[in-house]
Amino acid sequence: MRVYDKSFIKIEAGIENGKVVLESEGPLNPIVKPIVNRINDIFQEEKPISVDDENIIFSTWIPPIPGNVFNRLINAEISSILKKRVPDQFSIGITSRCPNNCIHCGAADIVVKKELAIEEINNAIFQAIDLGSYYISIDGGETMMRSDLDQIINAVDKNKAIVTCFTSGFRLTEEKAKNLKAAGLYATHISIDSPHEENHDRVRGRKGAFRDSLEGIKNTLEAGILADMFVVVSPHNIDELEDFYGMAESVGMHELSLYEIVAVGRWLEHEDEVISDSDVKMMGKFQKKKNKKTGGPRVTALPYFLGPEQFGCFAGRRWMHVTASGDVLPCAYTPLSFGNITEERLDTIWKRMGQHEAYRKHADFCRMRDKQFRQKYIHIIPKDAELPLRIYKFSQ
């Protein structure tokens, strides 16, 4: 099937030995071919969520193939090869309210006196799409606390971007899931901290959190929304990856995504309790092993994908995040603000971010795992400081 069709490049997708294979041709093929080869390498080692005669759903993190949004992904990849910064991924916190009290919450230091209005949220998303974003992620707090969540999702141009939503499952009722599906939600990332109810509730700081997650998963699947189990991996649960996979498989998840714990927010005091480079390699091996299986959820180990063997760190180069108070950060886990969307246009802030010496160059691993980066750039403000966000404000 034709998955990309421009005058300068055309890309066809086919199936060989059960694997998706892309072929490209056109005047820009020498530039595009390395991109196609890299995607093919991933396809050869991975399994998609689903494949039929009309569509390939590879992951909850990637738009359907073919389609206008996938075209924008290819455009972003070409821009990356040409050393042009494009915020492929744009995440935005729509609330700081949350019923949980997670011990690893990265947004715990955000104090929001006034949440962004829906007009401000929609305008920020529109501006991000105009900059090239094709993956819009709705974040929190607990996203289900916003009664206008479906309106926010509905306002996104689905010809230009897919929309996903992070949630703990709290208030993700059957009716809510149906409304989100109708609004055009592509996927739900439902967070699970332990495959064991008692421990999950302990980490979440609330009894009943595990049951909320399971109910949210059930309602997501029944509504026909792609369901991803999102696991923050730390030294405390990295030995339970098989159990997480077994749980994801048993409840019918489409994907199991593994992220890494970051020493920020409530985990700031546990700076040494993060995963290592060898852990990242192990997670990559786990991903490849599980994705060779027939059936079961696909696995995406994000520290591996955002590591030296794949794409490197996206923060500030291919990802930006807006907090619920409007501050623009390189990613959701880097407390370094470059401006506020209530005061400036997003393109101005994005350009300023690219002028920072740390974001002018590629990074093999998550910058926040680098103690030298943290010591040099992340100036932690005392907890009792009267500021809307305990972050370092970048200025030229």
Side-chain angles (χ1 to χ4, degrees), residues 106-157:
D109 289 341
I110 299 174
V111 180
V112 180
K113 296 180 179 179
K114 182 181 179 181
E115 289 180 351
L116 293 170
I118 186 171
E119 295 81 11
E120 293 171 317
I121 293 169
N122 290 345
N123 188 40
I125 293 173
F126 173 82
Q127 291 182 56
I129 291 175
D130 199 42
L131 284 169
S133 299
Y134 57 82
Y135 178 91
I136 307 299
S137 176
I138 310 298
D139 207 345
E142 172 50 66
T143 54
M144 300 299 149
M145 300 288 281
R146 285 280 299 229
S147 60
D148 55 3
L149 174 60
D150 56 339
Q151 298 173 49
I152 293 170
I153 294 169
N154 188 63
V156 179
D157 187 343

Side-chain angles (χ1 to χ4, degrees), residues 285-301:
K285 291 178 181 178
F286 179 81
Q287 170 184 304
K288 294 175 183 179
K289 173 186 173 183
K290 293 304 180 184
N291 287 340
K292 288 179 180 178
K293 282 186 55 176
T294 300
R298 69 161 275 109
V299 173
T300 297

Side-chain angles (χ1 to χ4, degrees), residues 371-385:
K371 286 188 178 182
Q372 290 184 338
F373 172 87
R374 296 168 61 84
Q375 291 170 357
K376 186 173 183 180
Y377 302 115
I378 308 301
H379 299 257
I380 303 301
I381 299 169
K383 288 186 177 182
D384 58 354

Side-chain angles (χ1 to χ4, degrees), residues 62-76:
I62 296 176
I65 309 170
N68 291 335
V69 186
F70 181 74
N71 289 352
R72 286 168 62 83
L73 179 152
I74 296 296
N75 291 340

Side-chain angles (χ1 to χ4, degrees), residues 40-164:
N40 279 335
D41 288 343
I42 294 172
F43 282 169
Q44 289 305 303
E45 291 185 340
E46 310 293 337
K47 66 180 177 185
I49 289 175
S50 65
V51 178
D52 59 32
D53 292 337
E54 297 182 354
N55 291 287
I56 301 166
I57 305 296
F58 186 73
S59 168
T60 58
W61 301 94
I62 296 176
I65 309 170
N68 291 335
V69 186
F70 181 74
N71 289 352
R72 286 168 62 83
L73 179 152
I74 296 296
N75 291 340
E77 288 294 325
I78 293 172
S79 295
S80 177
I81 290 291
L82 298 176
K83 307 300 181 183
K84 179 183 177 182
R85 291 170 61 248
V86 173
D88 305 49
Q89 178 170 333
F90 178 76
S91 55
I92 184 165
I94 61 172
T95 182
S96 61
R97 290 173 288 158
C98 187
N100 303 309
N101 190 31
C102 303
I103 63 177
H104 56 54
C105 180
D109 289 341
I110 299 174
V111 180
V112 180
K113 296 180 179 179
K114 182 181 179 181
E115 289 180 351
L116 293 170
I118 186 171
E119 295 81 11
E120 293 171 317
I121 293 169
N122 290 345
N123 188 40
I125 293 173
F126 173 82
Q127 291 182 56
I129 291 175
D130 199 42
L131 284 169
S133 299
Y134 57 82
Y135 178 91
I136 307 299
S137 176
I138 310 298
D139 207 345
E142 172 50 66
T143 54
M144 300 299 149
M145 300 288 281
R146 285 280 299 229
S147 60
D148 55 3
L149 174 60
D150 56 339
Q151 298 173 49
I152 293 170
I153 294 169
N154 188 63
V156 179
D157 187 343
K158 309 306 185 307
N159 284 317
K160 295 182 177 179
I162 58 172
V163 189
T164 71

